[in-house]
């Protein structure tokens, strides 16, 4: 079955739409003694009007915009941020857990979905905003932290520090980032004249 060519508009001006009261919202229309009763036409109009609005919203955007009243599920939910970009939920987010707006999120609950013409970006956490081994958004790893800023150590999520010795550089999340990025990974030299760098290992199936 193909996509319909028209939307089911219903009582667009809402002049004959009335929301049900609290009792009917929770229990539906059931008269005393368990005898079914018909809802008034104004309530039917209200329901159909909402259906029309939701269908229209999805038809235009494909995905619904973020709101603080929805419980988003980790790995399953996607939403459109106020910046018009697509976000993927990594940790349950909403009234039942913790409500964090995906735009500018530094807690690791959301990731921005970025795809280009050639396909999905193979680099994970390229925005450097996930650091579960530290305090996401302001993580710092040095010679006193757990984990340490040692050679061959994972610090920011998915990123491996390689250095010619230990305590060569301190690693942190920085807001000094390229345009369009949330954060960058800062490497602050602690021991001079030694080589260092960061590495991400990409699985063959993601290449």
């Amino acid at each position: 079955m193909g996509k319909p060519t028209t939307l089911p508009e219903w009582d667009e001006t809402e002049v004959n739409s009335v929301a049900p009261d609290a009792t009917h919202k929770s229990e539906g229309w059931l008269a005393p003694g368990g005898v079914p009763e018909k809802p008034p036409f104004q309530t039917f109009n209200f329901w159909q009007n909402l259906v029309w609005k939701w269908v229209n919203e999805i038809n235009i955007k494909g995905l619904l915009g973020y709101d603080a009243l929805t419980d988003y599920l980790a790995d399953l939910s996607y939403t459109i941020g106020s910046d018009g970009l697509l976000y993927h939920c990594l940790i349950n987010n909403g009234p039942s857990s913790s409500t964090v707006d995906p735009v500018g999120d530094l807690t690791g609950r959301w990731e921005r979905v970025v795809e280009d013409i050639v396909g999905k970006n193979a680099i994970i956490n390229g925005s450097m905003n996930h650091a579960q081994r530290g305090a996401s958004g302001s993580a710092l790893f040095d010679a006193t932290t757990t984990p340490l800023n040692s050679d061959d150590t994972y610090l920011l999520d998915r990123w491996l520090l390689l250095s010619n010795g230990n305590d060569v550089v301190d690693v942190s999340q920085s807001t000094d980032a390229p345009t369009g990025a949330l954060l960058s990974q800062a490497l602050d030299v602690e021991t001079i004249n030694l080589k260092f760098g960061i590495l991400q290992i990409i699985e063959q199936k993601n290449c």
Side-chain angles (χ1 to χ4, degrees), residues 1-154:
M1 187 176 96
K3 177 182 176 181
T5 56
T6 58
L7 286 170
E9 293 186 30
W10 199 286
D11 195 19
E12 182 179 3
T13 59
E14 301 181 35
V15 293
N16 291 308
S17 296
V18 178
D21 56 43
T23 300
H24 285 100
K25 278 185 179 180
S26 62
E27 300 177 5
W29 262 263
L30 198 63
V35 179
E37 61 175 334
K38 294 180 181 179
F41 74 89
Q42 293 95 335
T43 303
F44 182 78
N45 287 338
F46 171 80
W47 177 72
Q48 289 284 52
N49 180 262
L50 281 181
V51 171
W52 165 54
K53 287 179 178 177
W54 278 104
V55 170
N56 190 44
E57 182 80 2
I58 296 172
N59 181 60
I60 293 173
K61 295 183 178 179
L63 283 172
L64 297 175
Y66 171 79
D67 68 81
L69 300 178
T70 299
D71 279 310
Y72 297 91
L73 302 180
D75 297 325
L76 296 176
S77 297
Y78 290 81
T79 190
I80 303 296
S82 58
D83 54 4
L85 300 177
L86 176 63
Y87 289 85
H88 176 215
C89 183
L90 299 175
I91 303 173
N92 288 349
N93 188 84
S96 298
S97 51
S98 181
T99 303
V100 178
D101 193 307
V103 178
D105 170 40
L106 300 178
T107 67
R109 289 183 174 273
W110 296 95
E111 68 175 350
R112 188 184 299 169
V113 178
V114 180
E115 294 191 1
D116 56 25
I117 297 175
V118 298
K120 186 176 181 180
N121 191 348
I123 297 294
I124 299 175
N125 193 26
S127 61
M128 307 298 179
N129 61 321
H130 301 303
Q132 298 180 70
R133 298 173 183 84
S136 282
S138 59
L140 169 66
F141 303 97
D142 57 26
T144 66
T145 60
T146 303
L148 298 169
N149 60 337
S150 300
D151 175 43
D152 197 24
T153 302
Y154 279 101

